[in-house]
Amino acid sequence: MPRVRDDYEDDLDEEEGDEYGGEELLDDEEEAEDEEEDEDYDAGEKSAKKRRRSEFIDDAALEDDEEEDDDYGGRRSSKKGRGGGGFIDDIALEADEEEEEEEEGEDDFIVDNPADIVEDDDRRMHRRPLLPREDQEEDVEDLERRIQERYARSSQAEYDEETTDVEQQALLPSVRDPKLWMVKCAIGREREVAVCLMQKFIDKGSELQIRSAIALDHLKNYIYIEADKEAHVREAIKGMRNIFGAKITLVPIKEMTDVLSVESKAIDLSRDTWVRMKTGTYKGDLAKVLDVDNVRQRVTVKLIPRIDLQALANKLDGREVAKKKAFVPPPRFMNIEEARELHIRVERRRDPMTGDYYENIGGMMFKDGFLIKTVSMKSISTQNIQPTFDELEKFRQPDERDGEIGSLSTLFANRKKGHFMKGDAVIIVKGDLKNLKGWVEKVEDGNVHIRPNEKGLPVLCSTSELFLQYSKLVLSVCLLLSFFMQKTLAINEKELCKYFEPGNHVKVISGSHEGATGMVVKVEGHVLIILSDTTKEHIRVFADHVVESSEVTTGVTKLGDFELHDLVLLDNMSFGVIIRVESEAFQVLKGVPDRPEVVLVRLREIKSKIDKKLVAQDRSKNTISVKDVVRVLEGPCKGKQGPVEHIFRGVLFIYDRHHLEHAGFICAKSQSCLVVGGSRGNREKIGDPLSYLRTPQRVPQSPGRLPPRAGGRHRGGPGGRGHDSLIGTTVKIRLGPYKGYRGRVKDIKGTTVRVELESQMKEVTGKDSSRYGMGSETPMHPSRTPMHPYMTPMRDPGATPIHDGIIGKKRILLRGEPPGSPPSRTYDAPTPGSGWANTPGGSYDAATPRDNGSAYVNAPSPYLPSTPGQPMTPSSAAYLPGTPGGQPMTPGGGGLDMMSPAIGGENEGLWLLPDILVNVHKPGDDAMIGVVQEVMADGSCRVALGSDGSGDMVTAQPNEIEVIQPRKSDKIKIMGGAQRGSTGKLIGVDGTDGIVKVDDTLDVKILDMGILAKLAQS
Amino acid sequence: MFFHIILERNMQLHPRHFGSRLRDKLVSKLIKEVEGTCSGRHGFVVAIMGIEHVGKGLIRDGTGFVTFPVKYKCVVFRPFKGEILEAVVTMVNKMGFFAETGPVQVFVSNHLIPDDMEFQSGDTPNYITSDGSVKIQKDSEVRLKIIGTRVDATEIFCIGTIKDDFLGVISDPGAAA
């Protein structure tokens, strides 16, 4: 039974280690120091001075540094400056030497290692290079002895297990005992301060009347000092840096024990466990424990190296190495050949301990491509390690034989509580009963009672021999009683693994595929291959991560606001269908018709869900809408057929149940598909009324407003889109019980609109959007935005709150328009000036047009005809004088570019006045300066060319005219507001405001630059 | 496996069908409703062989519909774990192949295909042995063993294996041609 013995011994060892580790309270402190020492010597390359400093500081960053140094193969240190740590106990020294020894053992063969040559004598004494092994052993024994001596005192207490509660009580501090004082110190200097106090105590001896100083890792900013009187504390900390004596608080007796009670965090590290690195280049990387040294708190781990060979080569050659590493090299197995090609020295050595061969490159050890590294226990995390499959796969790659069992041990360690349930099929994976299958009968903590399915089990033949065997198996404690009586076996749960057979239907309950269900296709040891129910793909999971279940789920189907199979808009304006939801990301099949492109997208990278009922046209101009069955006629998915799930920008997402990739989704251009059978007849009635109301002659609007898209422009596309843009706008309900109510559009779905009523604090859903203002509007005024007619609410802008985002813009935009402009108004009042007659000047305060302007600039404006040279009907012309303003204006007017369009929107072509200087842009001609002579009823002007109006007379359309911005001290004419028509002088410009001295009244007014025009010299 | 069993179902009949042809109507409606459906317990209803018994109708308040309890004989098909079936391959991909035996879809994973058969992509993706003697492609007939079933409300899905003695291709469309 060699195995058993092994286990047993192991256990003993462990116990010893634990004992040693568990009993110190204050020694903890020193231990930590030791740790640092190790680290330091290990990493080497630090000057004595620096090292000295670092002895005192537990600085994560420092450790980090060291880690990194390590990576690039710190030469083993020469032991200068050790004297600095005078107070460091000899254990630490011993440990160091020990370590040196071990490492030196391999370094022996290095000839050119400078570190080796400069050794000091102190070191040599301990070194017997020829017999490293014996040396080692002796040292270990020596070390053990020392430890025994050192801790003998306290271990007595440890063995005294009979301590009763009463006795324990007696140990509690009482009033007569020294008290604990909490003293404030600099953050991060807690340890330093404590160590300084220790030094002070050593130096001053009994002068210091404090009993102890304690720095706790978890308590920042404070240390504890044990002393009888506060005065003693004050005395002790006098003259010390980093400690602030002003605030000394007494710790109540009751709480004193809490200060020093250590939450036992037994690190259960054993060989072959999986851990993760906490610091350095390998931070977060999975590592496998090869060796644990509980005494020195060091662990030898196996990692996949992240080494930039080139950088390493450079470094070893002594060439300049970029100080700052811009990136962390990806993990890759060390390829010795490659290294040799880069002229990196690779040595092959035998490890004196294990007898294995290692490749040594620049101080780093490699085996089978893995990096073998010895690190401090503190720099690895052992809790909750859930290695992903990929990681484990990688670890397995080089040598297949090593794998399963080893990896299992940690997987088991991280099991959740209540892992096994009654009825689970299990298999024993360790010990004598390995491979015995059974069912769980009962679960007690740590032990699982199983009913073996093997009939001929030695239930009755269990002699004393068997008894002995089992009692030795510390881990697999067999409750023999139950063994006999109930024919169940009690097995430690760490020795059990769930067991499945092909064909079982299971559900994954942890790991990356959590939530998925499927059928077991294959069992490979403790790894199951499952055929997922939804994706029909193979999933590899650990047997431990699944339970048998008849449930059929897709796994996670929702993350954030997005669900599986949603069409989403991605960050970079591309779009796609979510085909899989993972724990933190989505797999999205992008809307690229030519080839299936799947991207992994994080939640935040998704902009929004696209939830629109769009239609597209197929090859023969049939309308395709969602749920229509189409056949793909060309492209990579030719011949596939299925219902359309999403339509966006002329791209169809088709769900083909027989298509196994991408969750059955196929992405194709609408043009390369053909609707199968007839489209549903009533669709025209359902989906289209909106689009068809608004489609005709929306040309000027759509190109500006909508991103061009294939196929979408024909019919419903713009309709749907345009409709959506109404979200957030204020509408008035025309029909039905809510007739006359005003509200904000919250959501539009198909033909229904949800409107949040302003007056009633509630949301109503309206059926047909023609009931709302904008629905009926559009056909009449093709070039207008649908918002116009309901200007009424905007008359009193104060009444409605201005919302941000789109809503805000829309609102402001609305507000800036001619107040109370019912559709008729613009048509029946074409004469200049009349528009202003009913304009309350107040609403044109400087702020409004400015906001207005920005709204125009930001949002593609329906006022801008994007088709230049488009013939203007007189009626539409009335809207267009503003247009030129949308183009870059006269140079020099910094803020004016932005302003001008506002004027356009605001003044609607009635703003030109005679005698002002303008630029006339006739198509095909350069801009000509002219003086407006007369403004016609239709908005066009007669302009006399030449800066003084001496040239030819031309008639210019409003959109060809651009007002020349006045400069400082120019004569101006005011074109808007109450003072319209007056002349004055611009005495200053302040941003978008002009300071004007009005001629008539000699008042100085601040007016918007937008309403000022340069007056022609007469 | 096929079973000939008697099942019962409550049929609702619209009042307009009341008359001399009530029974015919009931039967045709039953056939329409039941044939081709799937229940987890009984499997697929393949065909209705006859009506065993039509119970007394009960007029439902308010609607005028009449509910008849109908007992009928039918043939059901239910796949079982371990059952050997013959199936026609419908699709082959790198993960395995799908085959159909009547209404039941069976997936044979590539893990459950003999190791000497390799997947070959191309125009007609197939699994083929290294010597080319055995080939599984679309429309091949295979004999497989069910190793797992999943029963949904409307579908029974099975996982099968051909990695066993006497399983595999029984007729190859390529060979026949």
Side-chain angles (χ1 to χ4, degrees):
Chain A
M1 273 274 112
R3 233 198 106 73
V4 178
R5 278 202 57 79
D6 264 1
D7 274 351
Y8 186 54
E9 271 166 20
D10 270 2
D11 204 65
L12 266 184
D13 281 352
E14 247 167 65
E15 259 170 33
E16 254 168 60
D18 282 353
E19 241 168 62
Y20 157 69
E23 60 205 330
E24 358 145 54
L25 294 172
L26 283 175
D27 288 325
D28 222 15
E29 199 70 41
E30 289 160 22
E31 208 56 41
E33 289 300 323
D34 294 353
E35 200 52 54
E36 256 149 50
E37 275 287 291
D38 279 2
E39 202 72 43
D40 273 356
Y41 287 124
D42 198 18
E45 291 191 336
K46 290 204 163 48
S47 71
K49 211 171 172 184
K50 190 171 176 191
R51 181 178 310 151
R52 187 157 180 182
R53 186 172 63 83
S54 59
E55 270 151 19
F56 301 99
I57 305 169
D58 179 30
D59 197 336
L62 237 167
E63 212 164 307
D64 241 0
D65 271 355
E66 286 156 15
E67 286 295 326
E68 255 155 59
D69 282 353
D70 246 1
D71 297 341
Y72 280 98
R75 275 161 268 142
R76 302 300 170 201
S77 68
S78 59
K79 294 222 168 186
K80 283 179 217 152
R82 184 194 270 176
F87 54 84
I88 297 168
D89 56 35
D90 45 6
I91 293 290
L93 287 186
E94 200 55 43
D96 286 344
E97 279 153 24
E98 183 65 36
E99 182 143 45
E100 296 297 323
E101 224 53 76
E102 189 182 303
E103 282 150 3
E104 226 47 53
E106 307 118 37
D107 282 354
D108 276 345
F109 307 101
I110 301 184
V111 186
D112 58 340
N113 194 334
D116 261 16
I117 298 159
V118 269
E119 291 168 305
D120 56 19
D121 296 337
D122 166 40
R123 227 340 229 315
R124 271 207 184 124
M125 266 164 50
H126 288 267
R127 264 194 59 199
R128 266 169 258 157
L130 287 177
L131 291 166
R133 257 191 132 151
E134 274 177 35
D135 187 24
Q136 211 98 41
E137 269 163 35
E138 199 185 280
D139 266 9
V140 171
E141 278 161 24
D142 191 33
L143 191 72
E144 247 174 24
R145 192 170 42 76
R146 280 160 189 260
I147 291 169
Q148 287 292 342
E149 272 170 32
R150 194 182 151 128
Y151 292 104
R153 184 173 36 90
S154 45
S155 56
Q156 270 175 354
E158 184 73 15
Y159 286 126
D160 190 12
E161 299 219 314
E162 305 297 308
T163 44
T164 58
D165 279 357
V166 181
E167 282 169 52
Q168 284 285 315
Q169 284 292 329
L171 294 173
L172 285 175
S174 70
V175 260
R176 286 188 301 277
D177 290 317
K179 293 152 189 76
L180 265 187
W181 306 87
M182 197 162 74
V183 188
K184 203 163 185 178
C185 67
I187 295 183
R189 304 300 175 116
E190 299 85 10
R191 278 163 170 258
E192 188 185 334
V193 166
V195 173
C196 282
L197 276 167
M198 179 160 76
Q199 182 68 54
K200 197 170 181 180
F201 189 80
I202 292 165
D203 293 345
K204 296 220 174 178
S206 51
E207 277 178 53
L208 242 55
Q209 282 170 300
I210 58 168
R211 304 293 182 101
S212 65
I214 305 141
L216 296 175
D217 277 339
H218 57 85
L219 184 75
K220 297 268 178 266
N221 215 192
Y222 288 99
I223 65 162
Y224 291 101
I225 295 177
E226 187 187 4
D228 291 306
K229 296 199 169 89
E230 189 181 339
H232 296 162
V233 178
R234 289 200 187 282
E235 188 59 31
I237 63 173
K238 195 182 268 176
M240 285 181 68
R241 286 187 305 141
N242 294 328
I243 188 160
F244 313 118
K247 204 183 164 194
I248 297 177
T249 350
L250 177 69
V251 177
I253 289 180
K254 266 192 209 162
E255 292 167 26
M256 275 169 77
T257 45
D258 297 334
V259 170
L260 289 179
S261 56
V262 179
E263 203 178 308
S264 62
K265 197 171 65 183
I267 301 175
D268 178 29
L269 263 185
S270 53
R271 274 178 207 183
D272 289 338
T273 35
W274 294 110
V275 294
R276 278 191 200 280
M277 308 300 290
K278 273 199 228 163
T279 52
T281 323
Y282 295 94
K283 189 173 178 180
D285 278 14
L286 191 70
K288 188 176 194 174
V289 177
L290 294 185
D291 198 13
V292 186
D293 188 338
N294 276 316
V295 181
R296 270 175 284 154
Q297 296 275 300
R298 295 188 76 80
V299 187
T300 306
V301 294
K302 185 163 99 169
L303 284 159
I304 301 175
R306 287 180 182 269
I307 285 168
D308 186 350
L309 278 177
Q310 193 60 53
L312 185 62
N314 288 350
K315 190 178 174 182
L316 291 179
D317 283 2
R319 266 175 277 161
E320 193 66 17
V321 186
K323 194 75 187 162
K324 207 170 180 183
K325 269 171 264 161
F327 71 104
V328 179
R332 211 161 60 94
F333 288 106
M334 173 56 78
N335 187 338
I336 297 302
E337 294 309 308
E338 212 173 301
R340 288 213 169 100
E341 268 168 39
L342 286 163
H343 307 294
I344 297 173
R345 236 191 123 80
V346 181
E347 280 150 73
R348 200 167 159 77
R349 302 243 188 91
R350 198 173 144 268
D351 182 64
M353 289 289 276
T354 57
D356 286 337
Y357 282 93
Y358 293 97
E359 276 91 23
N360 187 310
I361 300 173
M364 290 176 287
M365 291 205 297
F366 295 93
K367 189 173 185 338
D368 304 320
F370 287 105
L371 172 67
I372 310 295
K373 203 168 139 117
T374 304
V375 294
S376 137
M377 268 190 192
K378 281 199 292 180
S379 63
I380 55 172
S381 66
T382 53
Q383 300 297 308
N384 290 324
I385 307 297
Q386 290 273 14
T388 65
F389 228 98
D390 293 346
E391 285 173 323
L392 292 182
E393 285 282 279
K394 272 190 203 150
F395 264 89
R396 262 168 48 140
Q397 256 165 21
D399 49 340
E400 281 295 324
R401 62 198 160 74
D402 159 314
E404 293 301 314
I405 287 298
S407 66
L408 279 169
S409 51
T410 27
L411 296 176
F412 291 176
N414 293 313
R415 270 176 183 162
K416 289 176 193 159
K417 257 211 139 89
H419 179 78
F420 291 104
M421 300 220 280
K422 193 182 172 188
D424 279 356
V426 289
I427 185 166
I428 300 176
V429 293
K430 254 194 208 167
D432 286 350
L433 297 172
K434 188 170 168 179
N435 287 340
L436 176 73
K437 293 167 199 159
W439 291 275
V440 175
E441 279 288 319
K442 197 165 82 178
V443 184
E444 288 168 355
D445 58 12
N447 284 330
V448 179
H449 296 253
I450 65 164
R451 177 182 295 279
N453 73 345
E454 210 72 26
K455 286 290 179 298
L457 210 80
V459 173
L460 293 172
C461 80
S462 63
T463 54
S464 59
E465 187 197 19
L466 195 68
F467 185 91
L468 269 175
Q469 270 180 24
Y470 281 117
S471 62
K472 274 181 189 169
L473 271 170
V474 179
L475 283 173
S476 73
V477 182
C478 260
L479 296 181
L480 285 174
L481 187 65
S482 65
F483 192 96
F484 293 125
M485 304 299 287
Q486 301 161 17
K487 294 187 184 173
T488 62
L489 297 165
I491 308 281
N492 189 297
E493 68 169 11
K494 298 210 169 180
E495 299 186 352
L496 286 177
C497 183
K498 287 188 184 170
Y499 177 73
F500 296 93
E501 278 180 346
N504 289 5
H505 194 262
V506 294
K507 180 177 183 187
V508 185
I509 49 163
S510 60
S512 57
H513 295 285
E514 184 171 342
T517 59
M519 235 184 279
V520 179
V521 163
K522 196 179 184 188
V523 182
E524 288 177 345
H526 306 290
V527 174
L528 306 180
I529 296 171
I530 294 174
L531 182 82
S532 160
D533 286 336
T534 31
T535 55
K536 296 269 192 303
E537 275 171 8
H538 288 145
I539 309 174
R540 287 169 65 96
V541 287
F542 294 109
D544 252 18
H545 290 177
V546 301
V547 287
E548 202 162 352
S549 146
S550 58
E551 188 187 352
V552 176
T553 57
T554 53
V556 206
T557 58
K558 200 166 179 184
L559 181 59
D561 293 334
F562 309 106
E563 259 181 280
L564 194 68
H565 301 171
D566 273 353
L567 182 67
V568 290
L569 195 65
L570 305 182
D571 230 1
N572 44 2
M573 294 313 282
S574 55
F575 58 94
V577 168
I578 296 176
I579 54 171
R580 181 184 293 170
V581 184
E582 287 171 12
S583 51
E584 275 169 3
F586 300 98
Q587 269 190 22
V588 172
L589 173 69
K590 281 176 108 179
V592 190
D594 322 322
R595 71 208 125 84
E597 196 183 326
V598 176
V599 285
L600 198 67
V601 194
R602 308 213 157 269
L603 182 59
R604 65 186 139 79
E605 289 165 359
I606 295 185
K607 268 214 168 122
S608 62
K609 188 157 131 182
I610 304 170
D611 194 10
K612 291 167 194 161
K613 296 279 173 281
L614 300 182
V615 290
Q617 280 191 323
D618 70 355
R619 168 165 287 187
S620 20
K621 301 265 186 289
N622 293 317
T623 308
I624 309 172
S625 30
V626 173
K627 295 291 172 210
D628 282 348
V629 177
V630 298
R631 184 197 297 278
V632 184
L633 296 174
E634 55 188 20
C637 298
K638 184 178 172 187
K640 302 269 183 188
Q641 180 175 328
V644 175
E645 292 292 321
H646 298 286
I647 303 174
F648 193 63
R649 294 187 194 159
V651 173
L652 309 180
F653 289 96
I654 303 156
Y655 179 73
D656 181 0
R657 153 180 111 81
H658 297 295
H659 189 70
L660 290 175
E661 288 163 293
H662 314 133
F665 275 91
I666 299 166
C667 173
K669 255 194 225 127
S670 66
Q671 294 291 324
S672 49
C673 298
L674 197 65
V675 178
V676 176
S679 183
R680 291 203 313 273
N682 57 350
R683 178 155 310 107
E684 288 300 312
K685 280 171 200 114
I686 298 173
D688 279 354
L690 312 169
S691 46
Y692 106 38
L693 282 177
R694 47 183 53 221
T695 0
Q697 282 117 47
R698 272 177 62 109
V699 197
Q701 184 174 344
S702 40
R705 303 193 56 163
L706 307 166
R709 69 182 112 142
R713 205 175 296 166
H714 303 286
R715 292 203 79 183
R721 175 69 175 250
H723 223 58
D724 241 25
S725 67
L726 293 183
I727 289 179
T729 53
T730 304
V731 295
K732 191 167 174 181
I733 299 169
R734 294 201 314 143
L735 297 169
Y738 289 101
K739 180 178 173 180
Y741 280 73
R742 226 156 20 98
R744 212 146 53 83
V745 178
K746 297 291 280 185
D747 190 13
I748 298 176
K749 238 190 201 133
T751 54
T752 57
V753 180
R754 279 187 72 74
V755 177
E756 182 188 36
L757 298 183
E758 279 179 1
S759 54
Q760 291 207 338
M761 299 276 289
K762 66 177 182 183
E763 289 186 17
V764 293
T765 307
K767 185 79 179 105
D768 180 1
S769 44
S770 64
R771 206 181 277 186
Y772 304 90
M774 55 285 199
S776 61
E777 249 308 294
T778 13
M780 283 178 66
H781 312 285
S783 66
R784 300 196 51 185
T785 42
M787 296 79 175
H788 281 246
Y790 291 102
M791 286 310 301
T792 9
M794 305 312 167
R795 265 206 176 136
D796 45 353
T800 44
I802 294 169
H803 303 273
D804 52 0
I806 302 174
I807 303 161
K809 275 180 199 157
K810 288 265 152 79
R811 284 297 194 88
I812 294 162
L813 187 142
L814 293 172
R815 255 214 270 172
E817 277 157 21
S821 63
S824 58
R825 196 202 125 257
T826 19
Y827 290 94
D828 66 12
T831 39
S834 68
W836 293 103
N838 50 8
T839 304
S843 70
Y844 282 97
D845 56 358
T848 320
R850 209 173 304 145
D851 287 347
N852 195 359
S854 61
Y856 268 87
V857 172
N858 293 344
S861 162
Y863 285 104
L864 307 180
S866 52
T867 40
Q870 177 208 355
M872 301 281 176
T873 56
S875 66
S876 66
Y879 289 93
L880 291 168
T883 321
Q887 298 150 3
M889 290 274 296
T890 25
L896 295 172
D897 294 1
M898 202 176 89
M899 281 308 306
S900 325
I903 303 159
E906 173 184 340
N907 299 328
E908 303 249 330
L910 306 172
W911 48 278
L912 285 175
L913 287 171
D915 297 334
I916 62 171
L917 266 182
V918 291
N919 265 327
V920 180
H921 300 268
K922 283 278 184 190
D925 283 338
D926 286 340
M928 292 166 293
I929 280 187
V931 179
V932 175
Q933 297 294 318
E934 195 184 345
V935 181
M936 313 289 226
D938 63 353
S940 61
C941 301
R942 288 174 61 79
V943 178
L945 296 182
S947 58
D948 52 359
S950 56
D952 295 341
M953 212 52 131
V954 294
T955 306
Q957 294 297 329
N959 61 334
E960 295 164 350
I961 295 171
E962 183 188 287
V963 173
I964 292 179
Q965 287 296 324
R967 304 223 180 119
K968 196 179 163 187
S969 70
D970 277 349
K971 294 283 276 177
I972 54 101
K973 194 158 196 173
I974 301 168
M975 299 186 298
Q979 246 118 11
R980 184 178 154 92
S982 347
T983 56
K985 192 177 171 189
L986 188 63
I987 56 176
V989 179
D990 179 14
T992 56
D993 292 335
I995 302 156
V996 176
K997 192 174 180 189
V998 182
D999 286 343
D1000 302 350
T1001 57
L1002 292 177
D1003 281 350
V1004 175
K1005 297 241 167 196
I1006 296 176
L1007 294 167
D1008 203 279
M1009 283 298 278
I1011 60 166
L1012 304 182
K1014 192 172 176 180
L1015 197 65
Q1017 313 284 319
S1018 51
Chain B
M1 206 178 287
F2 291 96
F3 296 91
H4 193 190
I5 53 170
I6 295 171
L7 294 177
E8 190 169 342
R9 186 181 173 90
N10 285 332
M11 299 292 301
Q12 288 206 7
L13 207 62
H14 193 271
R16 70 167 170 249
H17 302 300
F18 300 165
S20 57
R21 296 182 59 81
L22 190 146
R23 195 183 162 90
D24 291 350
K25 189 68 208 174
L26 208 58
V27 172
S28 65
K29 191 165 189 266
L30 180 73
I31 288 172
K32 203 173 155 193
E33 272 183 22
V34 168
E35 272 187 12
T37 60
C38 165
S39 79
R41 189 177 154 80
H42 300 107
F44 280 96
V45 178
V46 177
I48 289 177
M49 307 303 287
I51 302 290
E52 187 86 340
H53 174 75
V54 178
K56 276 182 184 165
L58 208 74
I59 300 177
R60 300 189 68 93
D61 288 345
T63 59
F65 275 87
V66 173
T67 309
F68 294 98
V70 182
K71 274 190 179 159
Y72 57 96
K73 284 185 281 189
C74 62
V75 174
V76 293
F77 175 68
R78 191 191 191 293
F80 287 93
K81 223 184 221 187
E83 189 178 350
I84 311 273
L85 289 170
E86 281 160 24
V88 179
V89 176
T90 51
M91 185 172 40
V92 179
N93 62 29
K94 66 174 192 305
M95 289 188 305
F97 64 84
F98 286 87
E100 279 176 7
T101 62
V104 178
Q105 202 184 26
V106 185
F107 177 70
V108 179
S109 160
N110 59 6
H111 298 289
L112 301 169
I113 294 172
D115 295 328
D116 63 338
M117 295 191 90
E118 288 280 322
F119 177 69
Q120 284 193 325
S121 55
D123 229 13
T124 51
N126 57 59
Y127 283 88
I128 192 163
T129 51
S130 48
D131 61 356
S133 58
V134 184
K135 191 173 174 189
I136 298 171
Q137 62 187 47
K138 193 170 185 289
D139 298 329
S140 294
E141 283 169 33
V142 291
R143 183 173 292 137
L144 46 84
K145 185 165 95 179
I146 305 286
I147 59 162
T149 58
R150 186 188 77 220
V151 180
D152 295 345
T154 56
E155 189 193 31
I156 294 181
F157 181 76
C158 298
I159 287 186
T161 177
I162 55 165
K163 207 176 183 175
D164 217 334
D165 293 342
F166 309 110
L167 300 181
V169 178
I170 45 178
S171 92
D172 189 0

